[in-house]
């Protein structure tokens, strides 16, 4: 009964509208020329596969709905603890920068890793504003499990408008399962930190499957577990004189 009462307090119609606008915007954006490539072509001959078109759509729609919503935004870019949030991308860039990413463009692997991480990180900030930002907050006090499940399913379906196929994942249903599982991790991260930056960094660490990714993920989990621990020891209470 409590779950039904909580669910009734959620504006599901607004969530549906939010999702439909993102799907429509994504479909249109994918038909347009790749804006990022148009800019990069003027400064480099290296081809980049990143497409920010749909990322910009999710960011714009999310910020618009945040603006129009009467609810106070609690999940922000840097969250409640700004220094701790910044640690996440710092660790991402350090780990991948040290291990490097091989490429066929003749670019130093360590420099290429930093460049690649940068583009992935910026894109994931735009995407996470929708799926772990506005969407999670708009569901109010719905239990964590349902929030993660709904977010994961909607997130996976959205990719149907982006990918031509899901062969690299073994098919759409495997991809759907991956999105749901990963959504639990990302939803836990934003609920604990209130930070889009943290979710975007965790999202970005999977750009490669190597020792750098394993190291990043291990450190991220530890940071989340000890998130509420103070960085410095509190002063001891002076002992009363006898």
């Amino acid at each position: 009964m409590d779950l039904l009462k909580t669910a009734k307090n959620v504006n599901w119609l607004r969530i549906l509208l939010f999702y439909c606008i993102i799907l429509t915007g994504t479909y249109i954006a994918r038909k347009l020329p790749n804006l990022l490539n148009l800019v990069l072509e003027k400064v480099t001959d290296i081809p980049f596969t990143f497409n920010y078109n749909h990322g910009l759509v999710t960011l714009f729609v999310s910020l618009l709905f945040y603006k129009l919503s009467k609810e106070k935004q609690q999940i922000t870019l840097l969250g409640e603890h700004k220094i701790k949030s910044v640690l996440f991308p710092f660790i991402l860039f350090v780990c991948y920068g040290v291990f490097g990413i091989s490429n066929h463009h003749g670019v130093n692997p360590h420099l290429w890793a930093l460049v690649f991480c940068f583009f992935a990180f910026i894109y994931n900030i735009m995407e996470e504003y929708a799926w772990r930002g506005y969407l999670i907050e708009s569901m109010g006090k719905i239990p964590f499990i349902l929030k993660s499940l709904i977010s994961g399913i909607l997130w996976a379906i959205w990719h149907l408008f982006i990918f031509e196929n899901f062969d690299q994942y073994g098919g759409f249903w495997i991809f759907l399962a991956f999105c749901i599982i990963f959504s639990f991790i990302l939803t836990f991260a934003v609920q604990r930190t209130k930070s889009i930056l943290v979710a975007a960094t965790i999202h970005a660490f999977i750009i490669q499957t190597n020792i750098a990714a394993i190291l990043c993920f291990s450190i991220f989990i530890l940071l989340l577990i000890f998130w509420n621990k103070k960085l410095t020891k509190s002063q001891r209470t002076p002992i009363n004189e006898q």
Side-chain angles (χ1 to χ4, degrees), residues 164-172:
E164 293 183 1
N165 59 68
F166 296 84
D167 293 344
Q168 61 178 321
Y169 301 100
F172 175 74

Side-chain angles (χ1 to χ4, degrees), residues 149-242:
L149 186 62
I150 294 171
S151 175
I153 293 173
L154 297 184
W155 185 32
I157 294 174
W158 173 70
H159 283 87
L160 289 170
F161 290 76
I162 300 172
F163 298 152
E164 293 183 1
N165 59 68
F166 296 84
D167 293 344
Q168 61 178 321
Y169 301 100
F172 175 74
W173 298 111
I174 295 178
F175 179 79
L176 173 63
F178 169 80
C179 284
I180 292 174
I181 293 171
F182 206 50
S183 179
F184 273 83
I185 298 173
L186 294 174
T187 302
F188 171 75
V190 294
Q191 289 198 337
R192 192 159 181 81
T193 67
K194 306 298 182 186
S195 171
I196 294 292
L197 197 71
V198 170
T201 307
I202 297 175
H203 189 165
F205 94 91
I206 57 173
I207 55 177
Q208 292 273 298
T209 304
N210 54 20
I211 187 66
I214 296 174
L215 183 59
C216 281
F217 185 67
S218 300
I219 297 174
F220 292 160
I221 292 298
L222 288 175
L223 285 174
L224 290 176
I225 291 174
F226 296 102
W227 181 261
N228 293 322
K229 298 292 183 180
K230 294 183 178 179
L231 293 176
T232 57
K233 293 182 178 179
S234 59
Q235 295 181 347
R236 294 181 178 178
T237 305
I239 301 176
N240 295 329
E241 295 183 358
Q242 295 183 350

Side-chain angles (χ1 to χ4, degrees), residues 5-65:
K5 184 178 180 180
T6 302
K8 287 181 180 179
N9 292 328
V10 176
N11 192 332
W12 295 106
L13 182 60
R14 187 169 62 193
I15 291 176
L16 178 62
L17 179 62
F18 166 77
Y19 191 59
C20 288
I21 292 176
I22 282 186
L23 292 184
T24 304
T26 297
Y27 177 80
I28 296 173
R30 294 291 296 183
K31 297 295 182 180
L32 299 175
N34 188 324
L35 299 179
L36 179 62
N37 279 352
L38 292 178
V39 174
L40 292 177
E41 285 175 358
K42 298 181 182 299
V43 295
T44 180
D45 294 329
I46 298 176
F48 285 89
T49 58
F50 292 101
N51 190 331
Y52 279 9
N53 288 17
H54 50 280
L56 290 170
V57 168
T58 58
L59 176 63
F60 175 76
V61 175
S62 299
L63 293 178
L64 178 63
F65 270 73

Side-chain angles (χ1 to χ4, degrees), residues 84-92 198 201-202 220 223-224 227:
K84 289 183 180 180
S85 294
V86 173
L87 277 177
F88 279 77
F90 175 77
I91 291 167
L92 175 75
V198 170
T201 307
I202 297 175
F220 292 160
L223 285 174
L224 290 176
W227 181 261

